[in-house]
Every structure is written in structure tokens, then in C-alpha cells.
Amino acid sequence: MADPLGLLLVGCGRISGAHLAALQGLEDDIRLVATVDSDLAAAQRAAVPFGALAFDDLGAALALPQVDAILIASPNGLHAAQAAAALAAGKHVLVEKPLAETGAEARALADEAGQRGLVLAAGHTYRHNAAVATLVDMMPQWGPLRAVEVSSCVFWDGPQAPWWAERTAEEGLILSLFAPHSLDFVQLVMGADDPLRVQAEAARWQSGWQGEDEAMILLGYPGRRMASVHISYNQRSVFDRKVLHFASGVAEIEDGEVLKWNGEVLVAPPEGVLVNPRAMGGRKLGHFFAQQWREFAAAVRGKPHRCPTGHDAARLIDLIDRVKAAARATSADAIDPVFAA
Ligand SMILES: NC(=O)c1ccc[n+]([C@@H]2O[C@H](COP(=O)([O-])OP(=O)(O)OC[C@H]3O[C@@H](n4cnc5c(N)ncnc54)[C@H](O)[C@@H]3O)[C@@H](O)[C@H]2O)c1
């Protein structure tokens, strides 16, 4: 067996906990060797249980020879520059979604990774659960895909980190933070094609941030295929459903975990995953964070994997650019409402 990959974690905030928990038990594949956070105490808290080194400076950590790969879990606006620094230092990179703020940045990263022979992967965690993986493997049997409907509606009572509130309406909120999950699913099932047409409506219902917190997206793909995506940060009764219309029937993924074909359950999650799927936090996510690490390790070792990488990952950010532009063009007045004092 190859030596475990030495991993550097950058950004030791909320989501880093899910990654660190997932790394427990994967020691033969990946080992945390260092952490970086602008808050050194946060870097130290993450590092100590792993016996890893802690830094508040990315450059110093990237100079460590024992670092083979880096996970970027910092605020979205830092992803592109930190990924570029990691690639320049010769490290493989897994970037939490979104890969970058703009398609141009994402494509430049993909070019750089390609030229250096390094893996640049985007952290589209939700690809890595059994319902999605089985759907992707089975869909060739179900005949041509005509239409996809995705609803992914959750509730956040205001910013979950200070940088959520700092993002401008032009930079986007839910279209940058949450749309990558749903649009990655659509791109995954649509294959190599990008949409021919992109339409979008967006709105802001909460006053604690500047960007849109609700959006509907309509995509027209080659071959008369179409997709709709509804995302929300305003739904207290969490709703997560994917419906796919094929020539021979309907596939559904309920609560992100239960795959049905024409009503028959094909995949159900492990015991204890769907605790209360209609509540925030009522679905345990650890199993597919762990699977994402296995897939990333396979990618680095040149084996088959399910991570979106390189230009395939950058395509999603190009799509998000198009969605943001469409939403601003149609619905700026709904994104920038005047709230009563
Ligand atoms: N895959 C998922 O399901 C998922 C879920 C939540 C968040 N995310 C993504 O993960 C990323 C982090 O989100 P979060 O909710 O953990 O945010 P967070 O604010 O809780 O954590 C970010 C951390 O980065 C640190 N940081 C800030 N500037 C830094 C710098 N210059 N260098 C190093 N560290 C710096 C902060 O101190 C903080 O500890 C975001 O890009 C978000 O979109 C992904």
C-alpha cells in the first residue's frame, strides 16, 4: 500500500469539523500533518488531536515537504488565491465549494493544475453518497433523460459566519454558497454538456445579509433536456428532493439519501443517517465526507474516482457566473428590497 497522503487543512472553522471527523479511520489513505488559520488558536485546536503542526501563515505550511495535498475550507473569496498558492507549491488541492468566485479564476486554476500534473478537485460533497452514486451508475439503463427537478430548501436564521453578511449582492449569497451543490448534481447527470440557455429569478427575504437567499433557476440543455433548481435559506421544514424523468420512468432522491425508481426503494441510507430530515441538522453527513476523502485519495493516486476535477470542476463556476448574471438581470429589485426599519 502507498504511504498515506500528508494533508494540510486551511481554514479551521465550521465545516472543517466534518472533514476532521471523516479523516478518523482513514489513516492508511490520508493523514493530517498541518493546519492553517488566520486565528492561530483555531489552527491549534484542529491540529492537536492529530499531532499535526499549526500555522497562521499559509506560505510557511506549504513549504513543509510532508504536505502532499491541501484542503481549502476558508471563506469563499479566498479559495482561488489559496488554491493558486498550493498548486504553485506543487500540492494537490481539494477546494470546498465553490472552487472560485468566477469562472475565469476557476479555469486559470484548472490550467495550472493540468500543466503541473496535479489534482485540483472541488468539494461537491453530496456527490459522494450512495443514492447519487447508484443513480449515476444506473441511469444508462433507464433511457434518455428528459427533465430534472431539484429542490433544496433549508433554514438559516441569518449569517452563519461574519463573511456571509459581508458578501455584496453582486458577489451573491445562496448562489455562491448553496447553488454549487444543486447545480453540481444537475451537471453530473447532464454529463459533458453545458446548458444552452440559463434563466433565473432570485430574491432576498432576510435583512441580515446583502445577497439573495432564495432562487429559482431554469436550464435548457442540448437534446431538448431541461432542469429546474429551487434553493432557499428560508424554509424551516427542510425540503430536499431530486426528481429525474427518463424515457422509462421516474427516479427520485428523497431527503438526499433515498433513491427510488418508479416508487420502489433502490437505496436507503445507513441506520442513523436520517434522524429527522425535516429539521436542520437532522441528517448526518459524515459518511459522505469520508467517501469524498477516499475518492480524492484515489484521484491523487491516478485511480478511478468520482471527484469533479480540473476543467470539469471549473465548468460549474462558469455556470454559476451565468446564473448570477441572469438573476441580477431579472430580479435586482427583489434581491435589494427596502426592509422596514
Ligand atoms: N461541502 C459542504 O457541504 C460545505 C458546508 C459548509 C461550508 N462549506 C464551505 O466551506 C468553506 C468554509 O465555510 P465555513 O462555514 O467552515 O466558514 P467559517 O467561517 O466557519 O470557517 C472559515 C475559517 O477560515 C479562517 N480564515 C479566514 N481567513 C483565513 C485566511 N486568510 N487563511 C486561513 N484561514 C482563514 C477563519 O478564521 C475560519 O476559522 C466555505 O467555502 C463554504 O462554502 C462547504
Side-chain angles (χ1 to χ4, degrees):
M1 180 179 295
D3 287 342
L5 296 175
L7 179 69
L8 165 64
L9 162 66
V10 179
C12 306
R14 291 166 63 235
I15 203 60
S16 70
H19 287 287
L20 295 177
L23 289 175
Q24 313 266 5
L26 296 179
E27 290 83 358
D28 289 343
D29 274 332
I30 302 184
R31 198 162 291 167
L32 187 75
V33 294
T35 62
V36 176
D37 199 292
S38 47
D39 172 358
L40 184 59
Q44 286 165 337
R45 275 194 301 277
V48 164
F50 293 85
L53 301 169
F55 297 82
D56 59 6
D57 174 54
L58 177 59
L62 285 174
L64 295 173
Q66 63 269 40
V67 171
D68 303 303
I70 159 171
L71 166 65
I72 298 177
S74 56
N76 295 8
L78 300 174
H79 290 185
Q82 291 178 335
L87 293 170
K91 314 296 185 187
H92 302 285
V93 188
L94 174 62
V95 188
E96 261 301 350
K97 53 80 195 165
L99 182 58
E101 290 276 29
T102 67
E105 289 172 347
R107 275 180 272 115
L109 291 173
D111 286 345
E112 186 68 19
Q115 281 159 18
R116 290 176 177 271
L118 294 167
V119 171
L120 169 73
H124 293 298
T125 335
Y126 293 87
R127 276 187 179 215
H128 301 289
N129 78 30
V132 174
T134 305
L135 170 94
V136 169
D137 291 346
M138 294 192 75
M139 53 186 276
Q141 305 170 27
W142 295 336
L145 174 64
R146 278 199 312 276
V148 181
E149 299 165 53
V150 177
S151 294
S152 196
C153 300
V154 299
F155 185 73
W156 292 121
D157 187 8
Q160 299 304 296
W163 56 272
W164 286 33
E166 289 158 14
R167 296 184 64 82
T168 64
E170 283 70 26
E171 287 168 334
L173 184 74
I174 200 169
L175 292 178
S176 175
L177 272 72
F178 204 40
H181 289 307
S182 299
L183 291 173
D184 178 64
F185 177 78
V186 173
Q187 294 281 67
L188 182 63
V189 296
M190 290 297 181
D193 290 322
D194 290 313
L196 300 169
R197 292 172 295 280
V198 174
Q199 300 173 60
E201 283 285 332
R204 179 161 65 97
W205 288 80
Q206 298 190 41
S207 59
W209 42 50
Q210 306 169 61
E212 73 296 322
D213 51 31
E214 185 102 17
M216 284 196 150
I217 303 161
L218 196 55
L219 306 169
Y221 280 84
R224 290 173 288 162
R225 293 169 298 158
M226 57 190 87
S228 71
V229 172
H230 176 204
I231 47 174
S232 175
Y233 279 163
N234 303 305
Q235 181 50 264
R236 287 174 191 269
S237 181
V238 170
F239 189 77
D240 185 325
R241 192 175 67 168
K242 301 173 179 76
V243 182
L244 297 93
H245 295 259
F246 292 90
S248 57
V250 178
E252 293 163 81
I253 299 180
E254 283 176 8
D255 302 323
E257 301 281 348
V258 182
L259 173 64
K260 292 181 181 171
W261 171 246
N262 290 333
E264 179 198 347
V265 175
L266 299 184
V267 174
E271 189 83 13
V273 166
L274 289 180
V275 181
N276 179 5
R278 285 303 181 102
M280 292 298 283
R283 173 184 173 198
K284 301 289 175 227
L285 307 178
H287 55 306
F288 50 90
F289 274 89
Q291 185 58 27
Q292 179 171 260
W293 280 116
R294 289 187 199 98
E295 302 282 349
F296 178 74
V300 168
R301 299 198 162 110
K303 296 183 181 157
H305 66 87
R306 293 178 189 266
C307 291
T309 55
H311 283 99
D312 197 32
R315 282 170 56 219
L316 182 76
I317 310 301
D318 274 326
L319 174 55
I320 288 174
D321 279 354
R322 294 170 70 190
V323 171
K324 281 186 192 170
R328 290 299 306 171
T330 53
S331 34
D333 57 339
I335 300 170
D336 309 325
V338 177
F339 286 99

